[in-house]
Amino acid sequence: MDSSFSRYQNLAENDRKINNMLANKQAQDFEMSSVSVVPDETYTVAQAVDAFGFGKFQVKLSLFTGLCWMADSMEMTILSILAPTLHYEWQITRYQQALATTVVFLGMMLSSPFWGSFSDKFGRKPALTLCSVLLFYFGILSSMSPNYTWLLILRGLVGFAIGCSPQSVTLYAEFLPCKQRAKCVVLLDCFWTLGACFEVVLALIVMPTLGWKWLLILSTAPLLGFACVCPWLPESARYLVASGQTDKAIDVLKKVAYDNDKPMLLGKLVVDDVVLEEKRGRFSDLLLPQLRLTSILLWFIWLVCAFCYYGIVLMSTELFESGNNNKICLPSMENEIFKTVQTCTAESRYLTTRDYIDLLWTTLAEFPGIFATIFIIDRFGRKITMVVQFLIFAISLSFLFHCAKNRALLTIALFFARGIIAGVFQAVYVYTPEVYPTPLRSIGVGTCSAMARLGAMVTPYIAQVLLKSSIATSMAIYISAALLAAFASLLLPIETKGREMKEHVSKN
């Protein structure tokens, strides 16, 4: 009996062990069905983002960052609408009118290093949150400016806050899979164009009844909206890992996986080896022998892009405004530059409904420009795209010599010019991060952006001041700049189409 009972116990114990093994195996199979395994048992943020793909998380982030980009665009578009009104209401000179535009770009240029350092130290989310609050605050205050001096100060502070807006694109790009990154970054520019169109429509409704001060107030609405959604913005997982906050980075990646209905990766989250092995690039590294020509050419191309793009934006209202005047405005020789200097006998001194409608048409041109760039940039390459678009832009401007007095032809020429220069700007945005290696990519794009601000600071004196005295001279300057930029694009030594992004700085 004892022997039989012992055998029964042994058999029962074996059955229990087998059942436990089967249960453990089922549990493991269940976990494996909801978690992807990385063979090395480690993974980087880049691997995780590529594994999760483009999904619901990126769609929501597109809307959030797009709202910031839209608010930035509206503040820029205000410059072309506000200047003619202030010229007549406050009797400011053309140089003062141009200075009101330049001071915004000056604030942007000076603040770029500050916001870059702030976001690297405290994160993208705190930087964007503070930026939206400051931009909303200074935007409201600028509407209460009692005089021209205060307007300059407050619009300069608006420009300082706007300098952080590119961080929204940085945050967006850091959550994009490699294959979708270029197209998604280009498509994000649709929010910029949408903001510009919305600003023109808002001006059409507000300016004739409430005036420019209410336009400044109502234009801050998207900023208020973005400030409200900032608590839901995710922090960059790349920043969190680089700053040693691995647990928070994993939580963010789990959120991405959940929203995109993808399994979370198993293993340990590590920092990319390249980041650990190589020091962050310095400005002098951009002038290494193998990068010197590329950097110099790109600085010039970015400068011309901003010079021509904002030139078209500003000259559009100037040309439409000139078309309303029955007589030419002549400068008074007896006044100083920063006092009232122009007399005009025209009956219409403000932009009319037709002006705003034509301005809206020229702004809408950016949509086909963006989509055309997306279509051709992967087929013909980045360099050829920039060369051809600069040449077409120059041709479009040449028509302005002959159609400045014909309203329909003027609108068509501005339409093509605005669409083309918007497209070439996006091509440059795609090319620049691709051509620089990872340790130099951030500083490379940053220096190019600074050169763009410099071009934007100069263009008001051509598009708003010189244009009033000589359309031919101002157009010749823009055409010459575009032709030189086309030649510079042709001289770029590297074509990045189909080329993987470099992770190391070549020592050759």
Side-chain angles (χ1 to χ4, degrees):
M1 290 292 293
D2 293 339
S3 177
S4 298
F5 181 74
S6 296
R7 284 198 300 272
Y8 175 77
Q9 284 184 321
N10 290 335
L11 290 174
E13 181 66 21
N14 288 336
D15 288 342
R16 186 181 65 79
K17 290 181 178 180
I18 291 173
N19 289 334
N20 288 337
M21 292 175 61
L22 291 174
N24 290 334
K25 183 66 170 60
Q26 291 176 348
Q28 291 176 0
D29 290 341
F30 176 78
E31 291 179 358
M32 292 294 290
S33 66
S34 60
V35 181
S36 298
V37 179
V38 178
D40 297 334
E41 296 185 351
T42 64
Y43 64 92
T44 64
V45 173
Q47 289 175 322
V49 171
D50 285 337
F52 300 150
F54 188 94
K56 181 180 177 182
F57 179 88
Q58 282 78 13
V59 172
K60 292 192 297 185
L61 189 59
S62 299
L63 296 176
F64 290 162
T65 55
L67 189 60
C68 178
W69 213 230
M70 181 178 173
D72 183 3
S73 174
M74 291 179 66
E75 290 297 329
M76 291 291 97
T77 307
I78 284 176
L79 299 176
S80 63
I81 298 173
L82 184 63
T85 303
L86 293 179
H87 173 64
Y88 293 118
E89 288 196 4
W90 283 3
Q91 295 296 297
I92 63 175
T93 71
R94 289 292 173 184
Y95 283 98
Q96 288 176 304
Q97 182 180 339
L99 184 59
T101 302
T102 298
V103 72
V104 177
F105 294 113
L106 178 61
M108 294 169 67
M109 185 177 71
L110 295 177
S111 68
S112 294
F114 167 79
W115 289 116
S117 176
F118 187 96
S119 61
D120 283 340
K121 186 175 182 179
F122 300 103
R124 279 64 161 142
K125 181 177 178 178
L128 289 171
T129 303
L130 179 60
C131 157
S132 63
V133 172
L134 290 177
L135 194 50
F136 175 76
Y137 179 69
F138 292 128
I140 292 292
L141 283 183
S142 62
S143 68
M144 305 176 186
S145 303
N147 52 51
Y148 174 76
T149 301
W150 272 108
L151 182 68
L152 280 185
I153 295 172
L154 292 172
R155 295 309 293 178
L157 292 173
V158 166
F160 183 90
I162 292 177
C164 184
S165 59
Q167 296 301 325
S168 65
V169 181
T170 301
L171 176 65
Y172 180 58
E174 288 176 338
F175 281 108
L176 290 174
C178 181
K179 293 182 179 179
Q180 286 85 19
R181 187 177 300 134
K183 291 182 179 179
C184 289
V185 170
V186 174
L187 284 173
L188 190 65
D189 195 59
C190 290
F191 285 96
W192 175 280
T193 306
L194 187 63
C197 293
F198 182 75
E199 184 64 33
V200 174
V201 173
L202 184 64
L204 173 62
I205 298 172
V206 173
M207 288 292 284
T209 55
L210 300 176
W212 64 270
K213 292 189 176 183
W214 272 100
L215 178 65
L216 292 180
I217 294 174
L218 296 176
S219 296
T220 61
L223 290 169
L224 181 60
F226 180 72
C228 292
V229 303
C230 275
W232 286 273
L233 272 180
E235 182 54 89
S236 168
R238 295 175 187 267
Y239 162 77
L240 292 172
V241 170
S243 60
Q245 304 178 64
T246 307
D247 292 340
K248 291 183 178 180
I250 293 175
D251 291 339
V252 172
L253 293 176
K254 286 181 179 179
K255 174 63 175 175
V256 179
Y258 177 80
D259 285 351
N260 289 0
D261 196 22
K262 296 288 184 179
M264 180 60 187
L265 301 182
L266 278 179
K268 181 181 179 181
L269 178 61
V270 296
V271 181
D272 194 338
D273 292 338
V274 173
V275 178
L276 295 176
E277 292 175 0
E278 298 197 41
K279 294 182 180 179
R280 189 177 179 87
R282 298 168 299 177
F283 173 79
S284 58
D285 295 333
L286 298 176
L287 298 176
L288 291 172
Q290 64 271 27
L291 291 174
R292 184 181 300 132
L293 180 60
T294 299
S295 295
I296 293 174
L297 290 174
L298 278 178
W299 292 340
F300 177 72
I301 292 169
W302 275 74
L303 185 149
V304 173
C305 276
F307 177 74
C308 292
Y309 175 81
Y310 289 109
I312 284 293
V313 172
L314 295 173
M315 77 169 63
S316 296
T317 52
E318 295 294 332
L319 291 172
F320 291 147
E321 180 196 15
S322 297
N324 295 329
N325 294 337
N326 296 327
K327 295 184 180 181
I328 299 176
C329 296
L330 299 174
S332 173
M333 303 301 294
E334 60 194 21
N335 294 296
E336 298 177 5
I337 288 178
F338 289 101
K339 295 180 181 179
T340 306
V341 301
Q342 294 206 357
T343 59
C344 185
T345 59
E347 294 179 1
S348 177
R349 294 186 172 186
Y350 298 95
L351 296 178
T352 65
T353 299
R354 185 183 179 185
D355 294 334
Y356 286 118
I357 292 176
D358 288 341
L359 186 59
L360 179 61
W361 276 112
T362 59
T363 304
L364 288 171
E366 293 192 22
F367 284 113
I370 293 169
F371 293 126
T373 301
I374 293 175
F375 179 77
I376 67 176
I377 197 169
D378 286 328
R379 289 169 173 78
F380 302 102
R382 281 58 163 156
K383 289 174 55 178
I384 295 299
T385 299
M386 289 187 284
V387 171
V388 172
Q389 287 183 323
F390 270 126
L391 292 176
I392 296 176
F393 176 75
I395 294 172
S396 299
L397 287 185
S398 66
F399 283 103
L400 291 175
F401 283 115
H402 310 288
C403 63
K405 295 182 180 180
N406 187 312
R407 187 59 173 255
L409 293 178
L410 174 64
T411 304
I412 293 172
L414 290 172
F415 181 91
F416 277 104
R418 178 81 174 259
I420 290 297
I421 196 60
V424 71
F425 219 149
Q426 293 311 304
V428 175
Y429 260 110
V430 172
Y431 178 86
T432 305
E434 291 178 338
V435 78
Y436 284 113
T438 297
L440 299 179
R441 190 166 296 134
S442 178
I443 192 171
V445 174
T447 55
C448 288
S449 179
M451 292 302 293
R453 300 290 185 256
L454 180 60
M457 288 170 58
V458 174
T459 202
Y461 298 96
I462 308 299
Q464 293 179 317
V465 179
L466 182 60
L467 184 74
K468 286 298 182 180
S469 59
S470 176
I471 293 179
T473 303
S474 58
M475 290 301 106
I477 292 175
Y478 285 110
I479 291 173
S480 299
L483 293 176
L484 289 174
F487 184 66
S489 301
L490 191 63
L491 292 179
L492 286 169
I494 301 172
E495 171 56 68
T496 60
K497 174 189 174 185
R499 177 178 179 264
E500 292 185 359
M501 288 185 174
K502 299 295 183 180
E503 298 293 345
H504 300 272
V505 180
S506 175
K507 303 301 180 183
N508 297 330

